[in-house]
Amino acid sequence: MVSYEVRMWLLSMATMSVVSWVATASSLLILIDADRLTGHAAVLLLVWIVAVSVPVTFHTILYWRRVRTTRRVLALGRQHDTVVRGFAEEITSLR
């Protein structure tokens, strides 16, 4: 099972991702609405997107996939354990 700390870390990463994308979108809308989307402001906004939003989102998606894979592997392990115990009981009953 995935530990509580890992789940909380992933939740905080997902929250950071959402907040960073909302901040980026709101900044862009404010600049467009105020007709102040200059080249300098656009470059700063692009730096913000590249430096914060994209890496945080990438890591969040990557680690959520790892968590899902871990859960699938653990479920498969439980299925195999059940099958092996069934075989063991059948072999024991044949003796």
Side-chain angles (χ1 to χ4, degrees), residues 4-94:
Y4 175 78
E5 292 81 12
V6 170
R7 284 184 290 176
M8 289 300 103
W9 179 76
L10 283 171
L11 182 61
S12 68
M13 288 291 284
T15 304
M16 284 175 44
S17 177
V18 169
V19 168
S20 63
W21 282 109
V22 168
T24 302
S26 61
S27 299
L28 184 60
L29 289 174
I30 289 169
L31 289 172
I32 289 172
D33 188 44
D35 291 329
R36 294 190 180 175
L37 186 59
T38 63
H40 184 67
V43 168
L44 288 175
L45 196 59
L46 181 64
V47 168
W48 167 262
I49 291 170
V50 172
V52 177
S53 302
V54 174
V56 170
T57 303
F58 174 77
H59 284 293
T60 303
I61 291 169
L62 178 72
Y63 281 98
W64 276 117
R65 285 182 182 167
R66 287 182 181 179
V67 167
R68 282 198 323 252
T69 302
T70 302
R71 288 179 180 163
R72 287 183 193 145
V73 167
L74 290 174
L76 185 62
R78 285 190 292 269
Q79 285 178 337
H80 284 274
D81 186 47
T82 303
V83 169
V84 169
R85 285 179 195 231
F87 286 147
E89 288 174 3
E90 286 182 28
I91 291 171
T92 304
S93 68
L94 292 175

